[in-house]
């Protein structure tokens, strides 16, 4: 690498890191008393969804349409999912089918 290229790499590397952290967000969805809150969540591809289970029961976040993920969240546990695909995903809890949510993912 020429000295000029090394200099360029040193200048551009921190800019690259900053733009990644500025774009990707962490979004919390809380499960409390058998309800997903908020029921509808907006995210972008690359964001991390953090499922926070405040109940003493295990829950799942299982996609039924739009994608095929299945996240199991134990009692008082938190699980993460990085959103990979744009689109609207309807999901529910396998153990408590009345628990329903919607994740709207922008590209
Ligand atoms: Cu549940």
């Amino acid at each position: 690498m020429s000295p000029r290229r090394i200099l360029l790499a040193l200048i551009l590397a921190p800019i690259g890191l900053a733009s990644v952290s500025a774009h990707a967000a962490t979004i919390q969805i809380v499960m409390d008393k058998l309800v997903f809150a908020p029921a509808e969540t907006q995210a972008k591809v690359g964001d991390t969804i953090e499922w926070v289970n405040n109940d003493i029961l295990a829950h799942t976040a299982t996609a039924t349409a739009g994608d095929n993920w299945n996240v199991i969240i134990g009692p008082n546990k938190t699980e993460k999912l990085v959103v990979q695909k744009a689109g609207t995903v309807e999901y529910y809890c396998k153990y408590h089918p009345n628990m329903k949510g919607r994740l709207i993912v922008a590209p």
Side-chain angles (χ1 to χ4, degrees):
M1 231 191 253
S2 72
R4 194 164 171 260
R5 283 204 161 200
I6 292 168
L7 188 66
L8 208 66
L10 288 173
I11 293 167
L12 292 179
I15 296 169
L17 288 174
S19 67
V20 165
S21 58
H23 280 279
T26 297
I27 299 159
Q28 282 197 342
I29 299 175
V30 176
M31 299 150 152
D32 192 40
K33 297 180 184 72
L34 301 156
V35 172
F36 289 110
E40 191 173 292
T41 302
Q42 310 244 1
K44 285 183 179 174
V45 171
D47 285 353
T48 299
I49 305 297
E50 220 174 59
W51 310 90
V52 181
N53 185 357
N54 285 345
D55 285 334
I56 55 166
L57 304 158
H59 294 302
T60 76
T62 305
T64 55
D67 213 335
N68 62 350
W69 37 259
N70 178 45
V71 183
I72 301 164
I73 310 101
N76 297 306
K77 290 274 193 297
T78 297
E79 298 293 338
K80 291 177 185 178
L81 171 88
V82 177
V83 181
Q84 312 278 6
K85 232 169 81 177
T88 298
V89 187
E90 309 284 344
Y91 64 91
Y92 78 121
C93 171
K94 275 188 188 175
Y95 309 137
H96 313 100
N98 285 339
M99 289 176 69
K100 288 175 186 165
R102 177 178 295 141
L103 186 63
I104 301 167
V105 184

